[in-house]
Each structure stands twice: as structure tokens, then as C-alpha cells.
């Protein structure tokens, strides 16, 4: 399993980049009240990417023997991920007002930036620890 660590980590990082890119793209259209180009693909692809992202994260935790609520940096990432999901949900759904969606979109991106900082530093202080 350790031999596959590099491949799983590369897959995980690739999914992070793709997931965030898709979120920004979807946010761009949602905040302009425009229909997504590509129709169903842009609605389904983020869920597939996020599923692979979560699966690769779980595999990495298992391989490294590091788990949320044991290591503080993984706990911080998990809690920030839950906030990212909540803010992203508000940002992408039109039942919320435009100002609320814009604020939620920025908050989701800030959560994502924090998560990346925690992943790079392995510290809940994120970029402040680098």
C-alpha cells in the first residue's frame, strides 16, 4: 500500500485542483444567474470528482495512520471542509439572495485556501505556520 502512496497523493491533489476549478466555474454562472454550459455534465462531474477526492483522502489517512480528531491538523481540515460545503451550497443555490450568495462564495473560497494551507503545513494555523 505504501508503494501506491505517491500515486494516491497525486490523484488527491489533482482532484483538489479540479474540484476547486469546477466550483469557481459553477460559481461564476450561479452568481450571474446563467445556465451552466454543458448542461448535466457540469452538474454531475463535480460530484464524481469530489467522491474520488474523498476516497483518496480516506486512503491517505489509512496509509499514513493519521486520522481526524487524533491529529489536530486533520481535524481542522475536516471542520473547514464542512464549512466549505455549507458555504458552497449557499453560493450555488438561487433560493438565496445574490448578496448572500456572493458572500458565501467568498467564504467558501477562503475556507478552501485555509484547507490548502493546513495541508501544506500540517498545522491548524495554516499559512501562519509556514
Amino acid at each position: 500500500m505504501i508503494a501506491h502512496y505517491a500515486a494516491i497523493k497525486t490523484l488527491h491533489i489533482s482532484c483538489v485542483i479540479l474540484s476547486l476549478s469546477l466550483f469557481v466555474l459553477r460559481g461564476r454562472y450561479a452568481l450571474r444567474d446563467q445556465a451552466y454550459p454543458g448542461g448535466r455534465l457540469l452538474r454531475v462531474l463535480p460530484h464524481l470528482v469530489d467522491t474520488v477526492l474523498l476516497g483518496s483522502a480516506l486512503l491517505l489517512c489509512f496509509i499514513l495512520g493519521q486520522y481526524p480528531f487524533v491529529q489536530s491538523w486533520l481535524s481542522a481540515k475536516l471542520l473547514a471542509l464542512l464549512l466549505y460545503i455549507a458555504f458552497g451550497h449557499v453560493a450555488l443555490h438561487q433560493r438565496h439572495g445574490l448578496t448572500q450568495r456572493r458572500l458565501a462564495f467568498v467564504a467558501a473560497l477562503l475556507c478552501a485556501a485555509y484547507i490548502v494551507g493546513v495541508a501544506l503545513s500540517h498545522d491548524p494555523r495554516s499559512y501562519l505556520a509556514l
Side-chain angles (χ1 to χ4, degrees):
M1 190 66 87
I2 298 294
H4 300 294
Y5 171 78
I8 295 168
K9 184 176 178 181
T10 300
L11 175 65
H12 183 73
I13 292 169
S14 298
C15 286
V16 167
I17 293 167
L18 186 55
S19 179
L20 289 175
S21 298
L22 288 168
F23 175 69
V24 169
L25 180 65
R26 291 173 70 204
R28 178 180 179 264
Y29 286 99
L31 294 175
R32 293 180 179 179
D33 291 326
Q34 295 175 336
Y36 299 143
R40 187 167 188 220
L41 179 64
L42 196 54
R43 283 190 293 272
V44 173
L45 185 59
H47 300 293
L48 294 174
V49 170
D50 291 344
T51 299
V52 174
L53 178 59
L54 178 60
S56 64
L58 293 173
L59 273 173
L60 289 171
C61 284
F62 177 74
I63 290 170
L64 296 174
Q66 296 186 348
Y67 306 100
F69 308 114
V70 175
Q71 277 79 28
S72 61
W73 69 277
L74 281 174
S75 301
K77 277 182 67 172
L78 180 60
L79 294 174
L81 175 64
L82 295 174
L83 284 173
Y84 169 77
I85 292 168
F87 286 131
H89 180 77
V90 172
L92 297 179
H93 289 87
Q94 296 197 350
R95 67 176 161 255
H96 304 284
L98 183 58
T99 300
Q100 187 178 12
R101 287 187 289 150
R102 285 181 177 161
L103 289 172
F105 184 73
V106 171
L109 292 177
L110 289 172
C111 285
Y114 172 79
I115 292 167
V116 170
V118 171
L120 293 173
S121 66
H122 288 204
D123 190 303
R125 293 175 294 164
S126 190
Y127 295 103
L128 296 175
L130 293 176

